[in-house]
Amino acid sequence: MNKKGFTLIELLSTLAIMSVITTFVTFNIINIFENKKKIQEESINNIIIKAADVYINLKENKQLKNICITNGCTIKIDTLIKEGLLNEEDVDNTKVINIYYENKKQKYKIS
């Protein structure tokens, strides 16, 4: 007798292998998107920090710079947008930058 086709065990094995492969691929794709989002947020935060640094170092903001050095200060993202240092479409204008000094080093916290 000539057998043509697959046995039930062969079909189930193939489905199990395909399920495992699909699961690994799905989780890898999800991780890629999560990593991309983290990198994008870090890049935007770096741009915000640089814009805040430029803002406090402007000549007309000498008093603000002195306050930031001695007591720390807070700058709204909205202020940086109004000054033309950031683009409104690229950042969340409800965030705030806290600038403080720790061990004589300037630190930033965006919240």
Side-chain angles (χ1 to χ4, degrees):
M1 184 188 289
N2 191 0
K3 281 186 169 182
K4 291 186 179 182
F6 297 103
T7 64
L8 182 60
I9 293 176
E10 291 171 334
L11 288 173
L12 289 176
S13 313
T14 304
L15 285 174
I17 292 169
M18 294 296 287
S19 298
V20 169
I21 292 171
T22 304
T23 302
F24 282 122
V25 168
T26 302
F27 282 120
N28 284 334
I29 290 173
I30 290 171
N31 284 336
I32 288 170
F33 282 113
E34 286 176 357
N35 288 338
K36 179 184 172 195
K37 186 176 179 181
K38 286 179 187 176
I39 290 169
Q40 188 175 19
E41 285 177 15
E42 288 174 6
S43 297
I44 290 172
N45 286 344
N46 286 335
I47 291 169
I48 291 171
I49 288 168
K50 289 186 190 305
D53 195 41
V54 167
Y55 179 71
I56 63 171
N57 286 309
L58 291 173
K59 287 182 181 178
E60 59 265 14
N61 293 333
K62 283 185 179 182
Q63 186 177 7
L64 175 64
K65 184 175 182 176
N66 291 334
I67 292 170
C68 288
I69 290 171
T70 56
N71 301 326
C73 62
T74 301
I75 301 172
K76 294 181 180 180
I77 300 289
D78 198 35
T79 303
L80 299 175
I81 292 170
K82 287 177 185 173
E83 290 292 323
L85 296 169
L86 292 174
N87 192 351
E88 189 171 6
E89 292 91 30
D90 296 335
V91 294
D92 179 8
N93 64 353
T94 60
K95 290 185 177 182
V96 174
I97 305 164
N98 296 310
I99 302 170
Y100 59 96
Y101 281 80
E102 188 175 280
N103 298 330
K104 297 182 181 180
K105 188 173 181 182
Q106 192 172 13
K107 302 272 185 164
Y108 299 89
K109 183 177 179 186
I110 300 173
S111 54

